[in-house]
C-alpha cells in the first residue's frame, strides 16, 4: 500500500528546492505489522549547513513578499491537503500506527492551521498607540526573525509540523525542519504540497536524521535564530541549555501528566467516554493523553466498573482495519518503557485491574501492541502518577474532596492539560482558576485542542511559549517599536514634557 501512495522507495532531504540523496539511511517500520516501509536518510551537520544557507538566502526575498501574498500559498496548501486528506492520512497510519479516523483528524488539524494562518496574512496585527509628545507617532510591528529551526515528534508528525511551520512562513521566515525519523513520510508529503502550492525554493527545507546529529547541528547553527521543539523533557532541557548559552530564542513543548477529575456529582457515563477516549486513543501517545483519573471516593467503585466495561469494548489492532479503536505503540523502545512502568506501578502497590502486558498472540506478534491498562488505588505521589508513560496506561487515584483533587492534579512537574467532570458551576469556575495547566476542559477528556487556541503549558511542559493560536506568532516574530517624529525639531522623550 505504501508503494501506491508514495512514489519513492528512499526519502531524500529537501534543500533549496532540490531533493538530496544521503548515503546513510535507516528503515522506517510500520508499527502495526513490523514491515519496513521506506528508508529515511541519516544526515550529518553538513546537510544542516546547506539547508541553513539556503534558508538564509531565500528568507531575504520571502520577507519582502507582502504578507497577504505569502498567505495565498498557505491557502493553496490547505486546499491541496483537503483534496489529498485520505491519502495523507493512510500514510500517517502506516508510519505512525494511529487509527485511520484519528489520522484523518490529524490531517484536518493541519488543514485548519493552513486556513487560520493564511488569514494572518491580512492581520499580523501590531499596535498603534499615542506618543508622549506632540507631532509624534508610535506603533509596534511584527518582523520575521529570519531562519527558524523546527524539530517535530512522531506522535503528531503532520499537525505539529503545521503548527510550527505555517506561522513561521506567513510571518516571513524560512524554515529548516527536522522531522522525527520514525515518521518521515509526512514531511515528504508536506514538501510535495508546498512545491505544488508554489512556495519559493529555500523557504522550506527538510533535513532528516537523528537529534544528536541533525538536531544538535540546528541548535548550534549561527544562522538559525530560533528553535521550536516538541518532544521529550530531557531533550527539551538540553535544547534550553544550549540555546540559552547562545542567547538563541527557543520554544519547547515537552508533554504532560494529564488528569481527568471526576467529582461525586458527575455524569459518570459521560466521564467514562471522555476518559477512555483521551487515555486510550492514539494508544495514549499524546502529550495531552489522560494518564490519571482523580476520582471522588463516593463514586470510585462505580466509575471503576464503568471504565472496565468500556475498556472491554475497545478493539485493538491495525489502524487501517475497520472498527479498530486502539492501534499499536510506536516501537520497541516505547513498549519497553510502558512495560517498565507496569512493573513500577505494581511494586509501588497500585492495584492492576486490567491489561498490563504486551499483546503478542497471532497477528499481534508482528506489531507493537500493548493491552490497555488500568491501575487503581494509586496515590498522587507514585511514579506511575507522576511520570509521563506515553502509552495506554491509566491510574485511578481516589480522593475525598474537591480541594484534594485540585492539589493532586497540580502535584506533578508537568502542566499541559486537565479536565473536570462535574455539574456544579462553582466547582467549574474554581477548577478553571486553580488547575495549573495550559489547557483546562470541563465535562470533556484531556485531548482535542483546537488550533486557534494557544497550545502548551506550565512548569515542565514548556518554557512559556505556545504552539498554535495567535500566540504562535510570538515565537516566530520579533516585536519592533517604531517612532515617527513629524515635529521638525528634536523632541526629547521624558524630558521635553511641558
Ligand atoms: C500532542 O500530543 O502533542 O489536543 C498534540 C490534542 C491534539 C494535539 C495533540 N489536538 O490532543
Amino acid at each position: 500500500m505504501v508503494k501506491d501512495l508514495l512514489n519513492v522507495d528512499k526519502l531524500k532531504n529537501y534543500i533549496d528546492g532540490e531533493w538530496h540523496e544521503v548515503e546513510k539511511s535507516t528503515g522506517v517500520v510500520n508499527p502495526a505489522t513490523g514491515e519496513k516501509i521506506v528508508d529515511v536518510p541519516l544526515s550529518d551537520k553538513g546537510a544542516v549547513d546547506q539547508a541553513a544557507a539556503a534558508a538564509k538566502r531565500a528568507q531575504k526575498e520571502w520577507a519582502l513578499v507582502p504578507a497577504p501574498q505569502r498567505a495565498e500559498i498557505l491557502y493553496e496548501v490547505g486546499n491541496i491537503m483537503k483534496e489529498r486528506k485520505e491519502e495523507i492520512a493512510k500514510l500517517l497510519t502506516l508510519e505512525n500506527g494511529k487509527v485511520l479516523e484519528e489520522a484523518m483528524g490529524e490531517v484536518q488539524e493541519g488543514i485548519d492551521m493552513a486556513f487560520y494562518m493564511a488569514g494572518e496574512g491580512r492581520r499580523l496585527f501590531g499596535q498603534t498607540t499615542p506618543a508622549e509628545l506632540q507631532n509624534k507617532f508610535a506603533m509596534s510591528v511584527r518582523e520575521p526573525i529570519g531562519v527558524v529551526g523546527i524539530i517535530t515528534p512522531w506522535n503528531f508528525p503532520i499537525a505539529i509540523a503545521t503548527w510550527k511551520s505555517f506561522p513561521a512562513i506567513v510571518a516571513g521566515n524560512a524554515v529548516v525542519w527536522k522531522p522525527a525519523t520514525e515518521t518521515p513520510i509526512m514531511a515528504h508529503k508536506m514538501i510535495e504540497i508546498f512545491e505544488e502550492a508554489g512556495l519559493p525554493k529555500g523557504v522550506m527545507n527538510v533535513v532528516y536524521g537523528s537529534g544528536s546529529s541533525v538536531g544538535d547541528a540546528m541548535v548550534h547553527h549561527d544562522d538559525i535564530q530560533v528553535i521550536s521543539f516538541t518532544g521529550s523533557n530531557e531533550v527539551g532541557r538540553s535544547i534550553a541549555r544550549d540555546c540559552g548559552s547562545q542567547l538563541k530564542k527557543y520554544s519547547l513543548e515537552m508533554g504532560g501528566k494529564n488528569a481527568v477529575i471526576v467529582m461525586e456529582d458527575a455524569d459518570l457515563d459521560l466521564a467514562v467516554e471522555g476518559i477512555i477516549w483521551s487515555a486510550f486513543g492514539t494508544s495514549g501517545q499524546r502529550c495531552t493523553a489522560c494518564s490519571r483519573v482523580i476520582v471522588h471516593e463516593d463514586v470510585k467503585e462505580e466509575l471503576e466498573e464503568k471504565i472496565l466495561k468500556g475498556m472491554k469494548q475497545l478493539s485493538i489492532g491495525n489502524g487501517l482495519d475497520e472498527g479498530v479503536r486502539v492501534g499499536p505503540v510506536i516501537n520497541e523502545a516505547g513498549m519497553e518503557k510502558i512495560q517498565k512502568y507496569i512493573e513500577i506501578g505494581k511494586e509501588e502497590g497500585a492495584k492492576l485491574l486490567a491489561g498490563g502486558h504486551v499483546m503478542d498472540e497471532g497477528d499481534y506478534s508482528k506489531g507493537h501492541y500493548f493491552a490497555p491498562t488500568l491501575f487503581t488505588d494509586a496515590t498522587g505521589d507514585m511514579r506511575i502518577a507522576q511520570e509521563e508513560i506515553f502509552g495506554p496506561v491509566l491510574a485511578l487515584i481516589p480522593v475525598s474532596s474537591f480541594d484534594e483533587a485540585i492539589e493532586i492534579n497540580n502535584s506533578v512537574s508537568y502542566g499541559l492539560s486537565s479536565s473536570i467532570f462535574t455539574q456544579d458551576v462553582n466547582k467549574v469556575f474554581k477548577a478553571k482558576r486553580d488547575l495549573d495547566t495550559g489547557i483546562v476542559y470541563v465535562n470533556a477528556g484531556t485531548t482535542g485542542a483546537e488550533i486557534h487556541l494557544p497550545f502548551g503549558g506550565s512548569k515542565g511542559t514548556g518554557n512559556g511559549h505556545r504552539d498554535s493560536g495567535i500566540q504562535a506568532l510570538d515565537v516566530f516574530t520579533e516585536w519592533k517599536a517604531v517612532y515617527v517624529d513629524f515635529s521638525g525639531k528634536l523632541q526629547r522623550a521624558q524630558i521635553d514634557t511641558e
Side-chain angles (χ1 to χ4, degrees):
M1 177 180 256
V2 176
K3 289 226 155 36
D4 304 335
L5 299 168
L6 187 71
N7 48 4
V8 295
D9 293 331
K10 193 173 175 188
L11 298 172
K12 295 176 180 172
N13 285 341
Y14 184 77
I15 299 172
D16 211 9
E18 308 281 340
W19 300 100
H20 289 248
E21 195 158 335
V22 176
E23 213 178 300
K24 252 176 92 183
S25 66
T26 185
V28 176
V29 169
N30 177 346
T33 61
E35 283 159 358
K36 188 178 112 173
I37 48 178
V38 75
D39 280 307
V40 57
L42 290 175
S43 318
D44 55 22
K45 182 177 172 300
V48 175
D49 290 339
Q50 272 183 303
K56 190 178 174 183
R57 279 194 304 273
Q59 193 269 334
K60 290 200 169 38
E61 304 253 316
W62 183 240
L64 298 177
V65 173
Q69 277 181 41
R70 295 196 296 254
E72 287 301 323
I73 296 196
L74 286 187
Y75 281 120
E76 199 47 36
V77 165
N79 284 329
I80 302 168
M81 287 178 82
K82 238 167 119 174
E83 275 163 30
R84 293 168 65 176
K85 184 171 171 182
E86 196 168 332
E87 164 206 337
I88 302 167
K90 279 187 180 149
L91 284 165
L92 172 52
T93 296
L94 285 162
E95 66 174 359
N96 164 287
K98 68 175 65 180
V99 300
L100 188 58
E101 188 185 24
E102 289 188 36
M104 295 282 276
E106 181 179 341
V107 180
Q108 187 59 46
E109 278 198 48
I111 296 167
D112 295 341
M113 195 63 180
F115 294 130
Y116 178 61
M117 276 299 153
E120 277 310 307
R122 289 185 185 271
R123 286 186 293 263
L124 284 173
F125 293 138
Q127 296 107 24
T128 58
T129 173
E132 290 172 2
L133 296 161
Q134 269 190 356
N135 297 325
K136 188 179 175 189
F137 175 84
M139 65 182 168
S140 62
V141 294
R142 289 186 186 276
E143 298 285 1
I145 296 187
V147 179
V148 312
I150 70 173
I151 302 176
T152 54
W154 51 261
N155 74 329
F156 273 78
I158 199 153
I160 293 178
T162 68
W163 295 358
K164 296 181 189 301
S165 64
F166 293 174
I169 286 172
V170 82
N173 300 284
V175 179
V176 177
W177 173 18
K178 187 199 99 60
T181 46
E182 290 86 348
T183 52
I185 295 174
M186 288 302 100
H188 182 84
K189 285 282 133 185
M190 272 318 297
I191 292 300
E192 276 182 9
I193 293 168
F194 276 127
E195 267 197 329
E196 200 182 321
L199 189 73
K201 64 186 186 121
V203 174
M204 187 76 199
N205 305 275
V206 171
V207 181
Y208 294 108
S210 69
S212 56
S213 147
V214 173
D216 195 62
M218 286 167 65
V219 167
H220 288 98
H221 202 290
D222 283 345
D223 290 330
I224 297 180
Q225 286 107 340
V226 53
I227 296 287
S228 176
F229 166 83
T230 297
S232 75
N233 201 282
E234 190 193 346
V235 174
R237 280 174 197 270
S238 90
I239 290 176
R241 276 192 297 273
D242 292 343
C243 286
S245 64
Q246 300 170 79
L247 299 181
K248 184 177 289 197
K249 189 172 183 180
Y250 56 97
S251 164
L252 309 172
E253 199 279 280
M254 302 175 290
K257 188 67 190 175
N258 315 297
V260 167
I261 296 173
V262 182
M263 293 316 299
E264 65 276 33
D265 65 345
D267 174 342
L268 292 190
D269 291 321
L270 181 64
V272 168
E273 276 190 59
I275 290 165
I276 294 214
W277 169 233
S278 51
F280 304 119
T282 335
S283 304
Q285 302 170 110
R286 293 192 187 215
C287 301
T288 50
C290 163
S291 60
R292 302 182 291 158
V293 170
I294 303 171
V295 55
H296 193 280
E297 57 194 10
D298 290 357
V299 291
K300 181 208 156 205
E301 267 171 42
E302 200 184 341
L303 187 79
E304 244 168 46
E305 274 167 33
K306 284 180 187 282
I307 295 178
L308 280 172
K309 204 168 140 212
M311 286 173 72
K312 286 207 182 88
Q313 283 156 20
L314 290 173
S315 65
I316 300 145
N318 187 326
L320 289 178
D321 293 345
E322 193 97 10
V324 166
R325 290 272 308 278
V326 182
V329 165
I330 189 74
N331 55 24
E332 201 47 47
M335 296 283 275
E336 281 168 15
K337 185 175 175 194
I338 298 164
Q339 188 66 61
K340 186 186 89 182
Y341 276 102
I342 301 297
E343 297 315 316
I344 291 173
K346 287 185 197 160
E347 276 163 30
E348 287 178 312
K351 200 160 118 200
L352 186 63
L353 286 186
H357 57 86
V358 171
M359 298 173 73
D360 51 12
E361 281 167 17
D363 275 355
Y364 288 130
S365 66
K366 297 185 199 140
H368 306 297
Y369 293 96
F370 204 95
T373 298
L374 180 65
F375 277 110
T376 191
D377 295 333
T379 54
D381 57 354
M382 287 181 179
R383 286 183 65 191
I384 56 161
Q386 287 282 327
E387 296 170 24
E388 193 180 44
I389 301 173
F390 230 61
V393 181
L394 186 59
L396 244 73
I397 308 168
V399 292
S400 53
S401 69
F402 172 81
D403 290 341
E404 192 188 350
I406 300 283
E407 193 186 314
I408 288 186
N409 180 81
N410 293 350
S411 71
V412 294
S413 61
Y414 294 96
L416 184 55
S417 182
S418 56
S419 134
I420 183 163
F421 281 85
T422 178
Q423 315 273 3
D424 178 344
V425 70
N426 296 342
K427 288 198 181 82
V428 167
F429 277 86
K430 278 187 190 145
K432 175 206 83 61
R433 183 191 62 199
D434 296 339
L435 290 169
D436 185 5
T437 53
I439 306 170
V440 171
Y441 289 94
V442 176
N443 293 330
T446 54
T447 60
E450 302 179 19
I451 59 87
H452 54 297
L453 279 84
F455 184 92
S458 58
K459 300 188 281 187
T461 289
N463 66 321
H465 288 291
R466 293 293 185 267
D467 271 329
S468 84
I470 199 79
Q471 291 77 5
L473 290 172
D474 287 336
V475 175
F476 302 113
T477 55
E478 202 65 79
W479 279 110
K480 187 177 277 177
V482 182
Y483 303 96
V484 180
D485 192 310
F486 53 99
S487 70
K489 59 185 182 201
L490 176 69
Q491 298 198 88
R492 296 172 303 169
Q494 297 95 39
I495 295 171
D496 298 327
T497 53
E498 292 306 309

